[in-house]
Amino acid sequence: MQKKKKYVVIVIAVLFVILIGTAGFSYAKYASSNIWNYYLKSKGFYFTSDYLDGNNKQNINNTWDGNKVLFNIKNNLNDKVVADYDITYKVTCTVNSSNADVNCSLFGTDKNTFTGTLSSYEACVNNTSDNKDVSSYDKETCETEGYNWQKMKAIKELYFELTNSSNQDITDADITIKAESTGPYKKTITGNFILHKDQNIIGKLNMKLNKQTNYTNLVVTNSYNEDKCVKITWDPSKLLIDEEENIVNKATDTNGYINEIVFKLNAKNSINYKFYQIDPTKTYDINEFTLTEESNC
């Protein structure tokens, strides 16, 4: 086993050297990042977020109310793929706007940095239909009675707040959140938060398309004071969804491509979904999408 791991490390190192020598700096940086991420996954290391990623994920909120903005960091890819060791981390909040009076603070402190640990743990999980509470079971009791003893995902819910030393109202802000794992491996994920306070938008579900270089972001905004269940439909022969996070339900066409998603959208919040065009030469607008409010999620 040790010999096999040694060969894997050697192959990764050789690929890295080849890429550096044969490609430009930008491509080499991109490729080396992918190789490193592959290496981290091979070690069972997962450092993720619904709001941050390796490409500076865009989070646009056009109905920001001036209060704290939520985000998270996690130690898993999904419910079954979870890191099995503690991960220490550092989070930094940076104000990108030119307004020097705006200060960003994290998690109820007066600082723009925050450190913590995503703690690994295991627990008993009831995947049967008997509705029995098994959360207090130890490993032996759990497995003896036919339940599952498994690694549990650790999610740290964080937030940042903005203040203005001149006591003026903050109507627009451009914030970058950077989360860095400091042990046992290093990985950096970032997110850009574009915030806009619009007092004229009250009680509305709204969609907006933001065209990027290689993809299109669909931004869905809920300006109601209550959570909403939203359904979005589109034609997958024109547009293919890339991300399936934060989805309660989905449907596919006869070819197996996703053409409908249902998700919960929190009050006074926005959510982004990335789409790729089948034909990049064509131009699509917001009319390609249909939004419907559902009764519940």
Side-chain angles (χ1 to χ4, degrees):
M1 181 62 71
Q2 288 296 113
K3 200 170 184 180
K4 185 176 181 181
K5 288 183 178 178
K6 182 178 180 181
Y7 285 147
V8 170
V9 173
I10 291 173
V11 169
I12 290 174
V14 170
L15 287 173
F16 177 75
V17 172
I18 293 172
L19 287 168
I20 290 293
T22 59
F25 176 77
S26 297
Y27 180 76
K29 184 177 180 181
Y30 168 79
S32 63
S33 176
N34 280 352
I35 291 172
W36 179 244
N37 287 333
Y38 174 80
Y39 175 74
L40 293 179
K41 288 182 180 180
S42 74
K43 293 295 184 181
F45 180 85
Y46 309 105
F47 187 63
T48 63
S49 171
D50 293 325
Y51 303 86
L52 321 172
D53 62 20
N55 297 309
N56 196 31
K57 186 168 185 176
Q58 300 297 299
N59 303 278
I60 301 172
N61 186 351
N62 289 316
T63 59
W64 179 52
D65 59 5
N67 292 320
K68 61 186 180 183
V69 179
L70 304 177
F71 63 99
N72 60 34
I73 52 175
K74 308 183 291 184
N75 72 338
N76 70 303
L77 288 181
N78 52 53
D79 289 339
K80 295 183 179 180
V81 182
V82 184
D84 57 2
Y85 37 74
D86 294 352
I87 298 174
T88 55
Y89 63 86
K90 176 183 178 181
V91 178
T92 305
C93 179
T94 303
V95 180
N96 299 319
S97 62
S98 59
N99 188 346
D101 293 332
V102 176
N103 299 308
C104 182
S105 58
L106 287 165
F107 210 45
T109 70
D110 60 353
K111 301 181 183 301
N112 73 329
T113 60
F114 179 85
T115 59
T117 302
L118 293 172
S119 299
S120 173
Y121 70 102
E122 297 179 330
C124 190
V125 176
N126 184 354
N127 291 323
T128 71
S129 58
D130 63 11
N131 297 319
K132 190 173 184 178
D133 183 6
V134 299
S135 58
S136 62
Y137 283 13
D138 58 25
K139 186 174 187 296
E140 182 179 358
T141 304
C142 179
E143 294 178 340
T144 299
E145 297 198 12
Y147 301 109
N148 294 328
W149 185 261
Q150 65 185 51
K151 291 181 291 186
M152 304 299 292
K153 58 185 178 182
I155 302 177
K156 183 65 176 179
E157 301 289 350
L158 295 163
Y159 62 86
F160 66 85
E161 295 175 288
L162 301 181
T163 55
N164 193 321
S165 57
S166 63
N167 294 321
Q168 294 181 352
D169 189 30
I170 303 172
T171 57
D172 292 276
D174 182 353
I175 306 297
T176 294
I177 295 293
K178 179 171 71 172
E180 305 168 274
S181 62
T182 55
Y185 301 99
K186 294 185 181 298
K187 181 180 179 181
T188 299
I189 51 178
T190 61
N192 189 216
F193 292 79
I194 307 298
L195 309 175
H196 176 67
K197 188 188 295 183
D198 188 347
Q199 303 297 336
N200 296 319
I201 302 178
I202 301 175
K204 185 177 181 181
L205 289 172
N206 185 52
M207 294 189 298
K208 181 180 179 181
L209 279 183
N210 289 322
K211 179 68 176 176
Q212 305 297 320
T213 303
N214 299 316
Y215 61 89
T216 296
N217 261 332
L218 174 67
V219 183
V220 187
T221 301
N222 175 17
S223 61
Y224 288 97
N225 290 318
E226 58 183 1
D227 298 346
K228 292 292 183 179
C229 186
V230 181
K231 179 171 75 173
I232 301 292
T233 58
W234 68 93
D235 184 353
S237 68
K238 299 178 180 178
L239 296 160
L240 294 177
I241 191 169
D242 178 66
E243 301 174 0
E244 297 181 40
E245 295 180 350
N246 305 312
I247 293 176
V248 175
N249 203 356
K250 61 185 177 182
T252 59
D253 64 7
T254 55
N255 295 316
Y257 294 110
I258 299 173
N259 62 357
E260 173 185 305
I261 57 173
V262 177
F263 54 92
K264 179 182 177 182
L265 185 52
N266 293 333
K268 300 292 183 180
N269 214 333
S270 297
I271 194 168
N272 305 330
Y273 289 105
K274 185 186 294 183
F275 287 84
Y276 291 98
Q277 295 181 196
I278 298 294
D279 185 349
T281 64
K282 292 187 176 180
T283 301
Y284 298 111
D285 58 27
I286 199 64
N287 294 319
E288 297 295 334
F289 298 89
T290 301
L291 184 153
T292 307
E293 182 179 343
E294 300 289 281
S295 58
N296 60 73
C297 284

